Amino acid sequence: MSNEQASSPSETSLEHTSVNPQTGAELFHAIDLAFDYRGDVTLGLKSGGSVGGYVFGRCYDETDGFVEVFLDGKQEPRVIRYRDIEAIHFSGEDTAIRKSWEA
């Protein structure tokens, strides 16, 4: 996963990249990245739909789990099961990129 917009290692971001996990371990890792991301993501679902918003929570065990997402424009979060996620696109602006800790 690389981002061609980043100009230095300190400015590396997942902004505008996509992840299509092929294994459970890859999915868990991609969800960890989405949880740590400082912007919105779009979750591509196996049903063919998608859900966009901010991932603020996650819960997983050895077999399955779920993410909690604040949907764009909605106050109530939505729970999405790991098993329903096909892809993760880091669609929103990474709000911390190119900003220093002091700023």
Side-chain angles (χ1 to χ4, degrees), residues 80-93:
I80 308 294
R81 304 294 304 181
Y82 280 21
R83 64 176 169 248
D84 296 331
I85 299 171
E86 184 171 56
I88 299 174
H89 178 66
F90 297 85
S91 51
E93 177 184 358

Side-chain angles (χ1 to χ4, degrees), residues 53-92:
Y54 184 78
V55 175
F56 72 93
R58 66 181 181 225
C59 177
Y60 57 88
D61 58 31
E62 293 178 11
T63 59
D64 196 22
F66 62 87
V67 293
E68 297 172 295
V69 182
F70 278 120
L71 303 176
D72 296 334
K74 307 280 185 190
Q75 290 186 8
E76 292 295 318
R78 181 164 171 197
V79 173
I80 308 294
R81 304 294 304 181
Y82 280 21
R83 64 176 169 248
D84 296 331
I85 299 171
E86 184 171 56
I88 299 174
H89 178 66
F90 297 85
S91 51

Side-chain angles (χ1 to χ4, degrees), residues 1 15-16 30 35 38-39 41 43 48 58 60 62 82 84 87 103:
M1 294 178 292
E15 191 174 294
H16 305 298
F35 177 76
R38 297 144 307 189
V41 300
L43 303 175
R58 66 181 181 225
Y60 57 88
E62 293 178 11
Y82 280 21
D84 296 331

Side-chain angles (χ1 to χ4, degrees), residues 5-76:
Q5 294 180 356
S7 60
S8 73
S10 64
E11 294 182 1
T12 299
S13 172
L14 293 170
E15 191 174 294
H16 305 298
T17 62
S18 294
V19 179
N20 295 303
Q22 302 298 309
T23 66
E26 289 177 1
L27 177 62
F28 290 157
H29 179 68
I31 289 171
D32 284 344
L33 293 173
F35 177 76
D36 292 337
Y37 188 64
R38 297 144 307 189
D40 286 352
V41 300
T42 300
L43 303 175
L45 305 178
K46 291 180 180 175
S47 66
S50 64
V51 174
Y54 184 78
V55 175
F56 72 93
R58 66 181 181 225
C59 177
Y60 57 88
D61 58 31
E62 293 178 11
T63 59
D64 196 22
F66 62 87
V67 293
E68 297 172 295
V69 182
F70 278 120
L71 303 176
D72 296 334
K74 307 280 185 190
Q75 290 186 8
E76 292 295 318

